[in-house]
Each structure stands twice: as C-alpha cells, then as structure tokens.
Amino acid sequence: MSPSLADIANQVKVDILSKSHVLDNASKANEIARTFISDTVTVPTLEMYAYATLATIGDDVYHDPSTMALEAHMAQLTGKEAGLFMPSGTASNQIALRTHLKQPPYTVLCDHRAHIHKYEAGGHHLTLTDVEPNIILESDIHLQVSFSIIIFTLFLKPSSSAPTAVISLENTLNGTIFPQNDIIAISDYARSHGIKMHLDGARIWHVAIETQTPLKELLAPFDTVSLCFSKGLGAPIGSCLVGPKEFIKKARWFRKLFGGGMRQTGVLAASAAYALTHNFPQLERVHALTKKLEAGLKTIGADILSGAETCMLFYDPSPLGLDYNEIAERASALPSPLFLGGSRLVVHLQTSEAAIDDFLALITELAEEKTRAGWIKPDAPVRTNGLKDIYVRRVPT
C-alpha cells in the first residue's frame, strides 16, 4: 500500500468499541432490568447473537433464505397468505395503509390514542357504536387535494372528510386487551361495506398469552396485520406485515420505494426467530410481575388509572401526596437506581423482580414521609364518563 493510500485508510478506519465496553454493557443490562419506561429497551442476549450468526447471508432485495423462512412462518402462524419483514412497526403500519389506499381521497378510521395517529405522523376502546356514526360511505365529495392519509379520530364528523377506506385497530392498546367480540363486530360491519381492516398488532403477543388464544383466531377479522419483534419480544429490530399475497407483493414494492429494501437481513430475521422461540413464552411471567406491581400500588393507596391486563399499567400517585417528578428523582437516587417516566409503568421480559420490589418499597417510604408531614388523603373525585388521557408524561424540573 502506498503511503498516500495508507494515509487515507487511516482517516477512514474507526474503532467504535470503548476499552470498557464489556463492563459498560453489563451496567446497561442492569439498568434495563430496572427501567419501567418502555418495553422497547430490551436488548438481544448473547444466545440470540450466537443464533443470529448462523443465519444465511443472502440479499433480501433479491433472495435471503432465512428471511424468507421467517416470512413464511409468520404467514402460517397468523393465518395469512404471505409475510414481509419490515425494519420497524411504523414502516409496517404506514406501508400497509399506503398499500390499502389506491385512489384518494380516503380516510382511515382509528382510535384517538392509536400509535398510527399519535406517534406515526387508556380506558375506552373503539367499538361498533363509535365506528357507525363516524364512517363515511358517500363518494360525492368536492375536494381538491393531493394524495394524503387523513387520520380520523373519534371526534371528527362524517361531513368533514373523505370516504372511509380502512379501519385500523390496535391490540393491545395502552396495555389493555381489545375485546375480540368487539373486533368481530367492527370487522363484520366494515366488510359489509367493502372497507378493509388493518391491525397494529405490535403487542398482539401479549393478547395470545393472556387469553390463551391462537394468533390465527385473534387475527382472522383483519385483512392485514403488523406484528413487532422488538416490542416485548427482545429482538433488536424488525416487524412483519402479513396479508394476502397480492397485497404483500405491492407492499414489498412500496417498501423498496420508501428506502426499506435491505440487504443481509438474515441476522435480523434469525434474531426475530430466536425471540419467537425463546422469549414469547416468558410473557406469562411479565404479566404476573405487572399484576404484582398493580396489587402493590393498590395496597399502598395509589389510584390505578388503567389496570395490569398485560405488560403495563397507569397509576396516579396524587392520593398519596406524590407527583411523578418527586418519585422519579428519588428513584434515580437509589443505590441501584430505577428509571421511570410518568403515569405509565411498563414491565418487560428483562425486568427483574427486585426492581418491582424496590419500586413498591420506594412508594411506601415516600407515602409514609408524606403522612408524617401531615398529608391527609383527599376524598375520591367524582368519576365522569368523559375521555381522559391516562398517559401523563413526566416533565423533569
């Protein structure tokens, strides 16, 4: 190598691993075990990495056997004709909607708390009673618009927008299980009007575990479904979109159009396969820990805004004289810190039972301090039927 080329090579080379990366990773794993902010914080294990290195090294834009095997398994598992590996849940949902919507103008009807509405552009779920008055069947519309997807919330009226082409549901939603009988009722109504049904099933795995219902049965009311491998299951990346063969063929084209065509995805597909095989059964333990967390908070006297049906709950500490900032600051000061957001507590497959115990002990200690300082629990507020956003995010001071 010539001196000038060697100089360029020295400029290009980089070592991204710190000298303490092994210790750093061990510290991070301990932090993850004590984090209640999201289930997206889970990380691949050494065993998952080892399995992933055995995957095929094909090019997914052309042909990768490991990725194709995962897609075929997902189609069979969900009772659909075909599957398509996606880099993220957002990509999976948005490409699904783009594939469904052929000629504008159209609307997509969804719950006002849905991920596709709030994060891609607790209490009451979408029911047939909500769908019927908000759906738009007429096509006599005088709008001059370029192509767009109008996310329809429960508060918009039919006269304000375009015909409904897709109803998109989410299960779980804020950790709660969408009743299957409501899903079937909505699906039957939608299909009677030629409207497609899509499911954001990022956490559908939890529904299968908690209700002991096969995925084929849970997903039968839907034309297309997005399922996530990283939320809850611990894979480093990826989702899968399933549906009819022709639909998936078109979705694959859109994936390429929007920059989602990937090369050696075998290692990612293998990580997802490992998660399905080894991590999915662990969700039963996750639910048990979440219920333990809820029971402890109830005993201490906190209000439960949305209970522990699966992997998360929402709570209000104000009856104890506490707020989310105060709790989070004290939690971060523990010898082994806890990492908290606001009203949402998420338990995941790498959450330790010690973290649950330490959080409940902290709330107990803080509540006792307030009592000693003269705090008197107020009378319970009068409940109303109005919709309330139970997801309160902490704003650090």
Side-chain angles (χ1 to χ4, degrees), residues 85 94 112 123 169 257 302 332:
F85 186 77
Q94 292 301 313
H112 69 106
L169 305 182
L257 174 68
S332 66

Side-chain angles (χ1 to χ4, degrees), residues 267-327:
V267 291
L268 301 178
S271 296
Y274 185 94
L276 292 173
T277 302
H278 299 280
N279 293 350
F280 171 70
Q282 296 185 47
L283 297 183
E284 186 174 21
R285 167 187 167 273
V286 170
H287 295 180
L289 285 178
T290 314
K291 289 176 173 63
K292 175 180 178 178
L293 186 59
E294 177 186 16
L297 286 169
K298 283 182 176 179
T299 299
I300 298 167
D303 272 355
I304 302 300
L305 304 176
S306 182
E309 293 187 18
T310 55
C311 66
M312 65 180 72
L313 64 89
F314 295 77
Y315 80 112
D316 177 5
S318 62
L320 304 172
L322 301 171
D323 62 51
Y324 301 117
N325 276 337
E326 184 177 5
I327 295 169

Side-chain angles (χ1 to χ4, degrees), residues 181-201:
N181 60 328
D182 284 332
I183 290 174
I184 293 171
I186 293 170
S187 179
D188 289 345
Y189 179 80
R191 287 173 170 172
S192 72
H193 291 287
I195 296 168
K196 299 298 184 182
M197 291 285 294
H198 175 71
L199 176 69
D200 178 352

Side-chain angles (χ1 to χ4, degrees), residues 1-298:
M1 182 181 295
S2 67
S4 60
L5 183 56
D7 183 56
I8 294 173
N10 283 331
Q11 295 173 31
V12 171
K13 70 180 182 182
V14 61
D15 182 3
I16 63 171
L17 301 181
S18 69
K19 294 180 179 179
S20 61
H21 74 275
V22 174
L23 293 176
D24 293 342
N25 282 348
S27 176
K28 187 64 177 180
N30 183 63
E31 176 184 318
I32 289 166
R34 300 176 66 80
T35 297
F36 293 94
I37 295 173
S38 176
D39 53 357
T40 60
V41 301
T42 53
V43 294
T45 61
L46 294 178
E47 293 81 7
M48 180 183 286
Y49 278 136
Y51 181 78
T53 62
L54 303 177
T56 55
I57 53 174
D59 186 325
D60 186 46
V61 172
Y62 299 104
H63 177 83
D64 178 64
S66 290
T67 305
M68 291 177 65
L70 176 67
E71 291 169 341
H73 171 73
M74 290 300 295
Q76 184 277 329
L77 178 67
T78 59
K80 307 303 180 187
E81 292 181 352
L84 178 61
F85 186 77
M86 292 284 192
S88 70
T90 296
S92 188
N93 283 323
Q94 292 301 313
I95 289 174
L97 295 177
R98 180 64 182 85
T99 306
H100 276 304
L101 301 178
K102 297 179 175 64
Q103 175 62 45
Y106 283 130
T107 60
V108 176
L109 184 65
C110 70
D111 193 288
H112 69 106
R113 299 156 298 164
H115 195 279
I116 67 165
H117 170 49
K118 294 189 70 174
Y119 307 113
E120 293 179 22
H124 176 76
H125 63 273
L126 198 66
T127 67
L128 181 57
T129 305
D130 300 310
V131 168
E132 286 185 291
N134 287 292
I135 211 162
I136 306 170
L137 302 177
E138 294 80 6
S139 59
D140 183 17
I141 299 168
H142 304 284
L143 293 176
Q144 299 297 321
V145 295
S146 59
F147 178 80
S148 63
I149 299 174
I150 304 171
I151 298 299
F152 221 58
T153 71
L154 300 183
F155 306 107
L156 295 180
K157 298 302 181 183
S159 60
S160 67
S161 197
T164 302
V166 181
I167 294 175
S168 179
L169 305 182
E170 187 172 333
N171 200 12
T172 62
L173 179 59
N174 281 349
T176 61
I177 296 173
F178 205 128
Q180 190 70 4
N181 60 328
D182 284 332
I183 290 174
I184 293 171
I186 293 170
S187 179
D188 289 345
Y189 179 80
R191 287 173 170 172
S192 72
H193 291 287
I195 296 168
K196 299 298 184 182
M197 291 285 294
H198 175 71
L199 176 69
D200 178 352
R203 295 185 176 93
I204 193 67
W205 315 107
H206 291 278
V207 182
I209 287 286
E210 189 64 22
T211 64
Q212 300 184 25
T213 306
L215 286 164
K216 282 184 181 179
E217 182 177 337
L218 291 171
L219 304 182
F222 298 95
D223 298 287
T224 57
V225 182
S226 173
L227 305 96
C228 187
F229 299 124
S230 58
K231 279 185 178 177
L233 293 187
I237 189 173
S239 289
C240 192
L241 177 63
V242 295
K245 283 184 180 179
E246 287 303 310
F247 178 93
I248 294 299
K249 181 179 179 180
K250 185 178 180 183
R252 187 179 295 274
W253 185 88
F254 278 124
R255 188 187 69 171
K256 177 67 174 174
L257 174 68
F258 295 126
M262 298 174 286
R263 300 303 178 181
Q264 283 67 45
T265 57
V267 291
L268 301 178
S271 296
Y274 185 94
L276 292 173
T277 302
H278 299 280
N279 293 350
F280 171 70
Q282 296 185 47
L283 297 183
E284 186 174 21
R285 167 187 167 273
V286 170
H287 295 180
L289 285 178
T290 314
K291 289 176 173 63
K292 175 180 178 178
L293 186 59
E294 177 186 16
L297 286 169
K298 283 182 176 179

